[in-house]
Amino acid sequence: MTRTRLYLTTGLVAILILTIGYRVWSGATDGQASPFRYRYERPAKGAVLAALSEEIAFYQARIGRNRSGGLDLSALGHTYLKMARATGDLTWYLLAEQAAQRSLNNLPFHNSGALFVLAKVAEARHEFARAIRLARRAGDEGLAIVATAELARGRVGEARWAAQALVERAPGLSSYTLRGLVAVASGHDRAALDDFARALAAEEAGETASSAYLRTVWGRFYYQRGRLDRARDLYLEALRILPQYPLALVHLAELELRSGHYRAAEDYFTRVVTLTAASPNVYDHVVLRGLARVHALRGDRVGAQRFWAMAESRLRRDVASGAFGHRRELAIVLLSHDPETHAAEALDLLREELRVRRDPDTLDAYAWSLVHTGRLNEASAVMREALAGGIRDARLFYRAALIEQHLGRTAAADVLFQLAARTDPTFDHGARTVAGLGL
């Protein structure tokens, strides 16, 4: 009887995945607003943060009654991480680290939960090798961190192994989403879409943050293929689940910027965070860079320079503190608004960053800095490394093509230009400008 039920359940899930996959590819909605619709009741405005605040208060009260315990401190650290993910406020990572360290002091053995929290904080700080070491000690729970940290290091094969192991041990919304992201990094579009559809089919009530994340990264996939309407549907659905979800807001702002809807882009950027020196946020520099691009595209050079300067100041403070990396982000800001003055500094920042992070985006920024310092042959080699894992990204193909073109390698440049066009047929001058290839 149990085996029969298992077969029936597996068959129903397979049918659901195939149905979702067909609707996504065909664009069919059967009269509904979107094939990506969240099937469960959405939380009321502010309910997620309120629930997390209550959870924090609950564990703090328990810890107050038993300060020598370890498990409650580990659980508190997990909740702090949830708050960091929901708000982008870096303070929550510091609180999570403190709680996890106290947990390990009280319970040094068989405390995988605290190790997971420390691994997550190390990842947020771009200490990827340390994050992987801690995550492996955390057991199965740490496999997701191993996968994302290995992607950051440019080690796609290791990331694929970790993601596959996670799916085999705990198939569900989060693990399928992660395996889909590894497939994107490998250039396996069909496999990525299949896994995103599996994640949607496995979605359960209460997984609001993971549900919003799935739709945001799925939307990013479509954005990079020029399917802007499909990307917008996914971003908006993520925001229907969590109206202030920062990741969806910044991606939707970028989409509106590319579409020439500057007022809408500005609105989405400014909804992300309230910038304050007292409460640094992981999205601060994203907002400032975004607003600088909005003003530049409007032709407001004075306004653009003001926001570039604010972004540079914020990132210099972050880099000087050493707390959460951001060397790459500072280099990109310097290359974006004043490459002639800052190219050498950007190059140094990126060389330092490559010691810990060697993903395609970091390599792309490094190649950009090499171009501005006259090292075209080195830049060409760096772009070959960036593309070696199989990733399909029109921006990367186009950067590599420009470099080959400047080196006089016309045939290689033409192949790369064609790859860019096939990956995203809408990657026109405006899209290239927004991507940092013309601004």
CSV table of all heavy atoms in Angstrom, one decimal, residues 108-127:
chain,number,residue,atom,x,y,z
A,108,PRO,N,30.1,22.4,22.1
A,108,PRO,CA,31.1,22.3,21.0
A,108,PRO,C,31.0,21.1,20.1
A,108,PRO,O,31.5,21.2,19.0
A,108,PRO,CB,32.4,22.1,21.9
A,108,PRO,CG,32.1,22.4,23.3
A,108,PRO,CD,30.6,22.1,23.4
A,109,PHE,N,30.2,20.1,20.4
A,109,PHE,CA,30.1,18.9,19.6
A,109,PHE,C,28.7,18.7,19.1
A,109,PHE,O,27.7,19.1,19.8
A,109,PHE,CB,30.6,17.7,20.3
A,109,PHE,CG,32.0,17.8,20.9
A,109,PHE,CD1,32.2,18.0,22.2
A,109,PHE,CD2,33.1,17.8,20.0
A,109,PHE,CE1,33.5,18.2,22.7
A,109,PHE,CE2,34.4,17.9,20.5
A,109,PHE,CZ,34.6,18.1,21.8
A,110,HIS,N,28.5,18.0,18.0
A,110,HIS,CA,27.2,17.7,17.4
A,110,HIS,C,26.3,19.0,17.4
A,110,HIS,O,25.1,19.0,17.8
A,110,HIS,CB,26.5,16.6,18.3
A,110,HIS,CG,27.3,15.4,18.5
A,110,HIS,ND1,27.7,14.6,17.4
A,110,HIS,CD2,27.9,14.9,19.6
A,110,HIS,CE1,28.4,13.6,17.9
A,110,HIS,NE2,28.6,13.7,19.2
A,111,ASN,N,26.9,20.0,16.9
A,111,ASN,CA,26.1,21.3,16.8
A,111,ASN,C,26.2,21.8,15.4
A,111,ASN,O,26.8,22.9,15.1
A,111,ASN,CB,26.8,22.3,17.8
A,111,ASN,CG,25.9,23.5,18.0
A,111,ASN,OD1,24.9,23.8,17.3
A,111,ASN,ND2,26.2,24.4,19.0
A,112,SER,N,25.6,21.1,14.5
A,112,SER,CA,25.6,21.4,13.0
A,112,SER,C,24.9,22.7,12.7
A,112,SER,O,25.3,23.4,11.8
A,112,SER,CB,25.1,20.3,12.2
A,112,SER,OG,23.7,20.1,12.5
A,113,GLY,N,23.9,23.0,13.5
A,113,GLY,CA,23.1,24.3,13.3
A,113,GLY,C,24.0,25.5,13.5
A,113,GLY,O,23.9,26.4,12.6
A,114,ALA,N,24.8,25.5,14.5
A,114,ALA,CA,25.7,26.7,14.7
A,114,ALA,C,26.7,26.8,13.6
A,114,ALA,O,27.1,27.9,13.2
A,114,ALA,CB,26.3,26.6,16.1
A,115,LEU,N,27.3,25.6,13.2
A,115,LEU,CA,28.3,25.6,12.2
A,115,LEU,C,27.7,26.2,10.9
A,115,LEU,O,28.3,26.9,10.1
A,115,LEU,CB,28.8,24.2,11.9
A,115,LEU,CG,29.7,23.6,13.0
A,115,LEU,CD1,29.9,22.1,12.8
A,115,LEU,CD2,31.0,24.4,13.1
A,116,PHE,N,26.4,25.8,10.6
A,116,PHE,CA,25.7,26.3,9.4
A,116,PHE,C,25.6,27.8,9.4
A,116,PHE,O,25.9,28.5,8.4
A,116,PHE,CB,24.3,25.7,9.3
A,116,PHE,CG,23.5,26.3,8.2
A,116,PHE,CD1,23.6,25.8,6.9
A,116,PHE,CD2,22.7,27.4,8.4
A,116,PHE,CE1,22.8,26.3,5.9
A,116,PHE,CE2,21.9,27.9,7.4
A,116,PHE,CZ,22.0,27.4,6.1
A,117,VAL,N,25.3,28.4,10.6
A,117,VAL,CA,25.1,29.8,10.7
A,117,VAL,C,26.5,30.5,10.5
A,117,VAL,O,26.6,31.5,9.7
A,117,VAL,CB,24.6,30.2,12.1
A,117,VAL,CG1,24.6,31.7,12.3
A,117,VAL,CG2,23.2,29.7,12.3
A,118,LEU,N,27.6,30.0,11.1
A,118,LEU,CA,28.9,30.5,10.9
A,118,LEU,C,29.3,30.4,9.4
A,118,LEU,O,30.0,31.4,8.9
A,118,LEU,CB,29.9,29.9,11.8
A,118,LEU,CG,29.8,30.1,13.3
A,118,LEU,CD1,30.8,29.3,14.1
A,118,LEU,CD2,29.9,31.6,13.6
A,119,ALA,N,29.0,29.3,8.7
A,119,ALA,CA,29.3,29.2,7.3
A,119,ALA,C,28.5,30.2,6.5
A,119,ALA,O,29.1,30.8,5.5
A,119,ALA,CB,28.9,27.8,6.9
A,120,LYS,N,27.3,30.5,6.8
A,120,LYS,CA,26.5,31.5,6.1
A,120,LYS,C,27.1,32.9,6.2
A,120,LYS,O,27.1,33.6,5.3
A,120,LYS,CB,25.0,31.4,6.5
A,120,LYS,CG,24.1,32.0,5.6
A,120,LYS,CD,24.0,31.2,4.3
A,120,LYS,CE,23.0,31.8,3.3
A,120,LYS,NZ,23.0,31.1,2.0
A,121,VAL,N,27.5,33.2,7.5
A,121,VAL,CA,28.1,34.5,7.7
A,121,VAL,C,29.4,34.6,6.9
A,121,VAL,O,29.7,35.7,6.3
A,121,VAL,CB,28.3,34.8,9.2
A,121,VAL,CG1,29.0,36.1,9.4
A,121,VAL,CG2,26.9,34.8,9.9
A,122,ALA,N,30.2,33.6,6.9
A,122,ALA,CA,31.5,33.6,6.2
A,122,ALA,C,31.2,33.8,4.7
A,122,ALA,O,31.9,34.5,4.0
A,122,ALA,CB,32.2,32.3,6.4
A,123,GLU,N,30.2,33.2,4.2
A,123,GLU,CA,29.8,33.3,2.8
A,123,GLU,C,29.4,34.8,2.5
A,123,GLU,O,29.8,35.4,1.5
A,123,GLU,CB,28.7,32.4,2.4
A,123,GLU,CG,28.3,32.5,0.9
A,123,GLU,CD,27.1,31.6,0.6
A,123,GLU,OE1,26.2,31.5,1.4
A,123,GLU,OE2,27.2,31.0,-0.5
A,124,ALA,N,28.7,35.4,3.4
A,124,ALA,CA,28.3,36.8,3.2
A,124,ALA,C,29.5,37.7,3.2
A,124,ALA,O,29.4,38.8,2.6
A,124,ALA,CB,27.3,37.2,4.3
A,125,ARG,N,30.5,37.3,3.9
A,125,ARG,CA,31.7,38.1,4.0
A,125,ARG,C,32.7,37.8,2.8
A,125,ARG,O,33.8,38.3,2.8
A,125,ARG,CB,32.4,37.8,5.3
A,125,ARG,CG,31.8,38.5,6.5
A,125,ARG,CD,32.5,38.2,7.8
A,125,ARG,NE,32.2,39.1,8.8
A,125,ARG,CZ,32.3,38.8,10.1
A,125,ARG,NH1,32.8,37.7,10.5
A,125,ARG,NH2,31.9,39.7,11.0
A,126,HIS,N,32.3,36.9,1.9
A,126,HIS,CA,33.1,36.5,0.8
A,126,HIS,C,34.3,35.7,1.2
A,126,HIS,O,35.3,35.6,0.5
A,126,HIS,CB,33.5,37.7,-0.1
A,126,HIS,CG,32.3,38.5,-0.6
A,126,HIS,ND1,32.5,39.7,-1.2
A,126,HIS,CD2,31.0,38.2,-0.6
A,126,HIS,CE1,31.3,40.2,-1.6
A,126,HIS,NE2,30.4,39.3,-1.2
A,127,GLU,N,34.2,35.1,2.4
A,127,GLU,CA,35.3,34.2,2.9
A,127,GLU,C,34.8,32.8,2.4
A,127,GLU,O,34.5,31.9,3.3
A,127,GLU,CB,35.4,34.3,4.4
A,127,GLU,CG,35.8,35.7,4.9
A,127,GLU,CD,35.8,35.8,6.4
A,127,GLU,OE1,35.3,34.9,7.1
A,127,GLU,OE2,36.1,36.9,6.9
